[in-house]
Amino acid sequence: MDKRTLWSAFGLVFGIILIASFSIRHNSFYSGICGVIGCIAIVGGFIGLHWNKIQNGDPKMKRTVRLLLALCIVLVVLNLITFLLA
């Protein structure tokens, strides 16, 4: 196993653990900086694990990365809105 695959897998698992800090409480959405870092780590780990397919131009993989980025951006935007309204 090469270093890129190992670090990408570690980043993906670390991101999943950090993303667990997102929670929904009584009509509001809350996350700390750990949730935002978790989003970034998940996207980075996924891209690192599938870099060869992305580099070769696999349309399914590019669509999956775009969807993952969009979902993570939605989580971050919801976090920012909650922070600004609080």
Side-chain angles (χ1 to χ4, degrees):
M1 183 179 288
D2 62 346
K3 286 185 180 182
R4 185 186 63 190
T5 304
L6 183 65
W7 282 107
S8 297
F10 175 73
L12 189 68
V13 171
F14 184 67
I16 290 171
I17 291 169
L18 288 178
I19 202 84
S21 70
F22 277 113
S23 65
I24 298 173
R25 297 184 201 167
H26 306 291
N27 299 327
S28 67
F29 184 79
Y30 174 77
S31 170
I33 190 71
C34 291
V36 175
I37 294 170
C39 285
I40 294 167
I42 286 175
V43 173
F46 186 81
I47 289 172
L49 285 174
H50 300 288
W51 182 248
N52 292 334
K53 289 181 181 178
I54 293 169
Q55 209 171 22
N56 290 335
D58 184 10
K60 288 183 181 180
M61 194 55 62
K62 285 184 177 182
R63 191 175 331 128
T64 304
V65 169
R66 278 189 241 127
L67 178 65
L68 187 59
L69 279 171
L71 290 174
C72 287
I73 288 171
V74 166
L75 290 174
V76 171
V77 168
L78 285 173
N79 189 32
L80 289 174
I81 289 171
T82 303
F83 178 74
L84 293 175
L85 294 178

